[in-house]
Amino acid sequence: MEVHGSLLQRVLVFSFCVVGIWTAYIYQGVLQETLSTKRFGPDGNRFEHLAFLNLAQNVVCLIWSYIMIKLWNSRNAGGAPLWTYWSAGITNTIGPAMGIEALKYISYPAQVLAKSSKMIPVMLMGTLVYKQRYSFPEYVCTLLVAGGVSIFALLKTSSKTISKLARPNAPLGYGLCFLNLAFDGFTNATQDSIKARYPKTSAWEIMLGMNYWGTIYNMIYMFGWPRGSGFEAVQFCKSHPEAAWDILLFCLCGAVGQNFIFLTISRFGSLANTTITTTRKFVSIVVSSLLSGNPLSTKQWGSVVMVFSGLSYNTYLKWRKLQRVPKKRKPM
């Protein structure tokens, strides 16, 4: 009964993480697309300083995680110290900044197309840098999910969406997305390594450490010199309160979403987290398509089956691994 109870608990926690990540980041994706394409105020100006979103989100998530630690989980002895996150903080600052800047040059579906193969660099970095081992079926799941999202995003791209871009430039946009993937692969593998070295580290502590360094690096980048772009971003928000409100909601979604992401990494590892977040991007496009009244084509429904086949197979593999765990024998 104890084994079955533990198994049910893991399934419930995993399902809770899926719902939390999907809800927070689907709405955040809507806000992100709005901030990158909308013209604010009577003058019709765009919000050009998209990297400011990462700084704002770091600050909000840093405060959020600190409060959660004080309320629910005071720092334990044996947890990872703050200095261990400095290298992951660098890549976690540069990578998302490149990904969000890409929205100036390529459409949101195109960005999803480029970033949907995130599972592959995570597995490659884990194998090459940290000597982790993945099975062949895990690679099959990764390719199914990434391939399905990529096909769907490619088919959804339209000239109407591209016309909303600030400065269309496909090579530059895709280049930024692929660099984003490279940095994210290092970040996720490093987080797994930290968790392995300090197994008592909680999800809140991981969130605090990552956003602590992210805040420092982004503050230097945005406000480190007199004409830093951060000053212009603050001035834009003062002139356009609607943009400031969207940024606040964007940050709150990120704070809630990061809670679930770090909880997933802490309990299930970065590959499970990447599976959930990649599928979330797919669901975001489905929701956007339904809200805009665009029916899915046969090929797009084929990509739906492809993605959820990969996700279902991945879930089945996790169940098989849990079934193989040997039961502890009670002493006579």
Side-chain angles (χ1 to χ4, degrees):
M1 290 295 294
E2 184 178 350
V3 174
H4 291 291
S6 177
L7 177 62
L8 178 61
Q9 182 181 10
R10 284 180 61 84
V11 172
L12 291 176
V13 172
F14 186 77
S15 301
F16 181 63
C17 291
V18 172
V19 173
I21 290 174
W22 281 14
T23 303
Y25 284 108
I26 285 173
Y27 185 52
Q28 190 186 46
V30 173
L31 293 169
Q32 184 182 41
E33 192 170 8
T34 299
L35 287 166
S36 63
T37 59
K38 184 177 178 179
R39 295 184 179 274
F40 293 92
D43 49 0
N45 289 334
R46 293 178 182 269
F47 183 71
E48 296 283 349
H49 313 288
L50 296 179
F52 183 76
L53 298 178
N54 292 324
L55 171 60
Q57 181 168 291
N58 283 143
V59 173
V60 171
C61 290
L62 177 64
I63 297 172
W64 181 289
S65 59
Y66 180 79
I67 294 174
M68 291 298 104
I69 288 175
K70 290 298 182 181
L71 290 178
W72 305 104
N73 187 42
S74 58
R75 291 185 66 84
N76 300 319
L82 283 177
W83 66 265
T84 57
Y85 299 96
W86 72 269
S87 60
I90 293 176
T91 55
N92 194 50
T93 300
I94 299 174
M98 290 181 170
I100 200 167
E101 281 291 321
L103 289 173
K104 293 180 180 179
Y105 310 105
I106 58 176
S107 64
Y108 181 71
Q111 185 208 41
V112 174
L113 167 67
K115 295 177 66 175
S116 60
S117 57
K118 183 178 179 180
M119 293 180 183
I120 297 176
V122 168
M123 297 175 74
L124 289 177
M125 292 295 293
T127 302
L128 298 176
V129 178
Y130 296 102
K131 309 302 180 183
Q132 297 178 3
R133 294 183 179 181
Y134 301 101
S135 65
F136 177 74
E138 286 176 320
Y139 281 104
V140 172
C141 293
T142 301
L143 291 174
L144 280 172
V145 175
V149 177
S150 299
I151 293 171
F152 184 88
L154 179 62
L155 293 172
K156 188 178 183 293
T157 303
S158 64
S159 58
K160 180 180 178 181
T161 303
I162 295 176
S163 65
K164 298 179 181 179
L165 300 178
R167 293 187 291 274
N169 188 330
L172 179 57
Y174 281 112
L176 289 172
C177 287
F178 292 139
L179 287 173
N180 181 193
L181 287 179
F183 284 113
D184 281 355
F186 180 84
T187 299
N188 290 329
T190 303
Q191 286 176 346
D192 275 354
S193 177
I194 292 173
K195 181 62 181 176
R197 282 183 291 153
Y198 302 95
K200 294 183 179 180
T201 304
S202 69
W204 307 117
E205 290 171 328
I206 295 175
M207 185 176 181
L208 179 70
M210 295 296 293
N211 287 286
Y212 172 79
W213 288 102
T215 300
I216 293 175
Y217 297 143
N218 274 307
M219 285 292 291
I220 294 173
Y221 171 69
M222 300 292 293
F223 297 96
W225 49 85
R227 295 187 178 181
S229 58
F231 298 105
E232 297 179 2
V234 172
Q235 186 60 41
F236 186 93
C237 291
K238 289 181 179 179
S239 303
H240 304 86
E242 184 181 356
W245 178 251
D246 285 343
I247 292 173
L248 176 61
L249 292 177
F250 175 89
C251 294
L252 291 176
C253 287
V256 174
Q258 281 200 29
N259 288 337
F260 287 105
I261 281 180
F262 291 129
L263 176 61
T264 303
I265 293 173
S266 179
R267 294 292 187 92
F268 305 102
S270 64
L271 181 60
N273 171 67
T274 307
T275 303
I276 297 172
T277 54
T278 301
T279 312
R280 184 271 309 168
K281 296 173 187 176
F282 159 78
V283 175
S284 295
I285 299 177
V286 173
V287 171
S288 176
S289 178
L290 292 176
L291 291 178
S292 61
N294 297 321
L296 300 182
S297 66
T298 303
K299 292 182 179 180
Q300 287 173 325
W301 280 117
S303 66
V304 172
V305 175
M306 189 175 179
V307 169
F308 282 94
S309 295
L311 184 61
S312 300
Y313 189 33
N314 186 59
T315 304
Y316 170 71
L317 293 175
K318 292 182 183 298
W319 274 78
R320 284 187 59 184
K321 285 184 178 181
L322 291 173
Q323 294 294 328
R324 293 173 185 170
V325 176
K327 298 179 181 179
K328 294 183 180 180
R329 294 184 179 180
K330 296 182 179 180
M332 297 295 292

